[in-house]
Amino acid sequence: RLEPFKDRLFSYPGLLAGKADDPFVIVDYDKRRDIHRRDKVWEREVYGEYVSMKPSGSQEDLTLKANGRTISYMRVGEPRGARSIVIYVHGQGGNRFQGMNDVSFGGNFNRIKNLMVRNAGIYMTLDVKNFDARGAGDVKALMQHYMRQAPQARAYVACGSMGGFLCWELARDSGAAAMMGGMLLMGSTWDDAFLSSGTFRGGRLPIYFGHGSWDEVYDWKKQAAFYERLKARKSDYPARFALFETGTHGTPIRMTDWRLILNWMFAATGR
């Protein structure tokens, strides 16, 4: 389990439906409270109480050559013997710096950095060059590289927006899925082909869906319908859905409770 870190500030501010550990919850998101009162500069810089710079001591900007490509990525945490690996995959228009920004998105990236560093894990972000199998291959190469140094670890891949195409590519790839302990989709895509995959039939890859009800890029109702189809086919499949009421496209990145979701995934896979 990940030990608490600023839970008072980052736990869900309230639920309109369900309890925190339920498979489907509706989170009480309020822009005035969760942006205007949380950010010193709205949507740019959070107040200092939300941030700890402890991870900066291990933060590095690196490259890895794999599959005839050069992967540019950033990492915090000590790789050798790491207990868990979290990789953030940005959407269109993003870069590796987005998921390492300590003060944007309400400090939520800083929280996952701290959760990993303080719990013997590593956290990485990368530049996504292609939102297809080639991009997924880059993420898989990072997993393979670091799991050679930490063979007992599992990778938890979080995909924002269009980055979800890479998540689903990885989930359908039996070799990549075997290295994963969970997948987090934040304002992201769905993939009906996954329901015919060996990964789905095996039922061992926990999936979290976080979505804003006012998302104008990917309709939450279509994502929720996919979640319902998944559950209808396999009712005990480890999947959770958090709907952020009145939240927009980027809200799940700001509001997802990393500690809650990752601890659920650890428990679901017996880690």
Side-chain angles (χ1 to χ4, degrees):
R1 286 182 60 83
L2 300 176
E3 295 299 320
F5 178 75
K6 295 185 181 288
D7 286 20
R8 178 182 63 84
L9 298 175
F10 287 97
S11 296
Y12 293 147
L15 295 177
L16 301 175
K19 298 178 181 178
D21 287 322
D22 285 350
F24 190 102
V25 297
I26 301 178
V27 180
D28 177 22
Y29 171 73
D30 183 331
K31 184 175 181 179
R32 290 171 298 178
R33 178 192 61 219
D34 299 316
I35 293 181
H36 297 172
R37 280 182 245 156
R38 182 168 171 174
D39 289 358
K40 182 178 179 181
V41 180
W42 294 356
E43 299 183 337
R44 293 289 182 269
E45 182 181 353
V46 73
Y47 281 107
E49 66 178 319
Y50 288 83
V51 173
S52 166
M53 300 309 292
K54 179 181 175 68
S56 62
S58 65
Q59 185 165 309
E60 295 186 81
D61 197 357
L62 303 163
T63 58
L64 175 70
K65 293 189 181 296
N67 305 321
R69 293 156 64 89
T70 298
I71 306 164
S72 298
Y73 71 101
M74 301 180 77
R75 187 198 71 217
V76 296
E78 172 54 46
R80 192 159 301 280
R83 295 166 61 186
S84 54
I85 300 166
V86 174
I87 303 173
Y88 174 70
V89 179
H90 64 76
Q92 191 171 31
N95 54 44
R96 68 189 185 280
F97 300 103
Q98 182 192 63
M100 282 288 171
N101 191 317
D102 293 291
V103 296
S104 66
F105 290 99
N108 213 17
F109 285 126
N110 180 263
R111 189 186 190 214
I112 184 58
K113 290 164 70 172
N114 273 279
L115 286 170
M116 288 295 100
V117 168
R118 294 166 186 269
N119 290 275
I122 61 173
Y123 170 70
M124 292 183 284
T125 65
L126 74 156
D127 284 342
V128 178
K129 300 175 183 176
N130 312 97
F131 290 93
D132 56 21
R134 293 169 294 175
D138 290 345
V139 180
K140 184 177 180 180
L142 280 176
M143 290 194 290
Q144 291 170 324
H145 177 73
Y146 281 97
M147 289 182 70
R148 282 194 287 270
Q149 301 177 60
Q152 301 305 312
R154 287 291 176 269
Y156 300 82
V157 185
C159 295
S161 188
M162 196 171 173
F165 287 114
L166 273 63
C167 262
W168 291 117
E169 286 277 356
L170 293 166
R172 295 193 308 271
D173 178 336
S174 59
M179 293 186 283
M180 295 168 67
M183 185 167 81
L184 297 83
L185 297 158
M186 301 173 171
S188 195
T189 60
W190 53 91
D191 181 20
D192 282 305
F194 174 73
L195 302 180
S196 301
S197 69
T199 303
F200 175 70
R201 290 193 296 272
R204 293 187 297 272
L205 180 67
I207 303 175
Y208 161 79
F209 302 88
H211 225 92
S213 68
W214 289 4
D215 189 332
E216 295 184 353
V217 179
Y218 295 112
D219 186 345
W220 80 267
K221 293 180 181 177
K222 293 181 179 179
Q223 185 71 294
F226 173 78
Y227 168 82
E228 293 295 341
R229 290 196 296 276
L230 182 153
K231 283 292 194 178
R233 292 201 187 186
K234 188 181 286 288
S235 61
D236 61 349
Y237 192 92
R240 288 188 175 185
F241 197 113
L243 178 66
F244 297 93
E245 184 63 25
T246 75
T248 55
H249 189 52
T251 300
I253 295 175
R254 170 179 286 263
M255 299 299 294
T256 289
D257 185 340
W258 288 100
R259 180 171 176 264
L260 174 72
I261 299 304
L262 289 172
N263 277 341
W264 160 66
M265 289 178 170
F266 297 160
T269 54
R271 292 192 60 78

